[in-house]
Amino acid sequence: MITILNACSDVRESNNFEDSQQPLTKTQIDEIITAATESVIVDVDFSQISKPNPVQQTEINERMHCLGEKLKGKVTVENRNIVVARVNGETITASNWYWEKINKILQAEFNNKSIPSDAEILSDLIETKVISSAARSLGIYPPEAQIKAYIADQQKYIEILKPEEITVLIQAWGISEEDYFLLMENRFADSLAKINWGVYLQKYEDEAQEDEQGYVAKSFSRIGDDRIKPLVEKAKVKITSEGRQLGISYPAPD
């Protein structure tokens, strides 16, 4: 289903990820991409999906309207071309930064929690990008076909169910539906990269975890901190001049 609150290129250098890692074969890569895609794109009986009741829908719409207004003029097609930071060569754009910051602040406000600092927001983005870097190093960063298939699935969801909150968000944001998917593409790609990497870990490195009933865990996007923290600690982070103009710094000042 649609991912609201959560561009392809060739495989690059190892980017600090297990230089000694045995390269995957094309067959292994294809198996990983297929398994990951099948885990997120499934046949759904849309008639069985219940919509929020009127009170819930009103609350959701209000939140999406607020989010859209905050994103307007900041998360834009133009800002996708402004790089504010690089993490192991993976880019964080101005649109990435504004989306993460606005979304995290609004989530905190709606849930009566403390507002995250810029350092905390950057930390979350770094974590996302080191995972994408790890996937790219293995040759399993989502290829164009996987991203397009996922976007097509999201478009089908919108076309059939016509969720009010998406319409409200796009209208408040002041963009077209086409631009919405263009702006979400990078987030979709990073999410798919995490799932691809999760499939790889479960298939080749981690022993399958079973629950009390003996079912093997299939949530590929749930990756332990023991896997992610070492990558973050070794990450090469560079803030660009455009990033510094937005007040982004790394490491965070004391």
Side-chain angles (χ1 to χ4, degrees), residues 47-218:
S47 67
Q48 298 301 310
I49 298 178
S50 59
K51 292 190 175 184
N53 64 48
V55 174
Q56 292 172 325
Q57 188 67 67
T58 297
E59 181 180 347
I60 294 170
N61 288 351
E62 288 175 352
R63 292 191 177 200
M64 290 300 100
H65 184 270
C66 184
L67 175 60
E69 287 192 324
K70 297 288 186 181
L71 295 174
K72 185 185 295 185
K74 291 184 170 59
V75 180
T76 64
V77 174
E78 293 74 22
N79 280 347
R80 291 173 75 243
N81 300 316
I82 298 176
V83 177
V84 299
R86 290 185 175 86
V87 181
N88 294 346
E90 302 291 327
T91 59
I92 296 174
T93 69
S95 281
N96 295 149
W97 172 255
Y98 282 127
W99 173 279
E100 195 74 14
K101 184 170 183 175
I102 291 167
N103 194 37
K104 287 290 174 64
I105 289 174
L106 287 179
Q107 282 185 340
E109 290 176 348
F110 285 136
N111 293 300
N112 295 316
K113 294 184 177 181
S114 58
I115 302 299
S117 65
D118 281 2
E120 291 171 320
I121 292 166
L122 179 61
S123 178
D124 287 341
L125 282 167
I126 290 172
E127 182 175 300
T128 294
K129 294 302 180 179
V130 297
I131 292 172
S132 288
S133 174
R136 196 183 297 278
S137 297
L138 289 162
I140 55 175
Y141 187 82
E144 185 176 359
Q146 186 185 25
I147 297 173
K148 284 187 174 180
Y150 184 74
I151 289 176
D153 189 62
Q154 300 301 296
Q155 290 172 325
K156 180 177 70 174
Y157 167 74
I158 289 180
E159 181 181 352
I160 294 175
L161 289 187
K162 296 178 173 56
E164 289 183 28
E165 61 270 21
I166 303 300
T167 301
V168 168
L169 172 65
I170 290 174
Q171 289 179 346
W173 198 341
I175 61 174
S176 65
E177 185 175 311
E178 181 181 3
D179 281 347
Y180 166 77
F181 282 105
L182 184 62
L183 289 165
M184 294 297 289
E185 183 176 300
N186 185 258
R187 291 183 60 80
F188 290 156
D190 283 333
S191 294
L192 289 169
K194 185 175 184 179
I195 294 170
N196 291 353
W197 191 47
V199 172
Y200 161 78
L201 291 176
Q202 190 173 106
K203 189 174 181 64
Y204 294 105
E205 294 199 5
D206 296 339
E207 292 185 5
Q209 300 296 313
E210 296 185 353
D211 63 18
E212 294 177 357
Q213 286 75 39
Y215 294 109
V216 177
K218 292 294 184 181

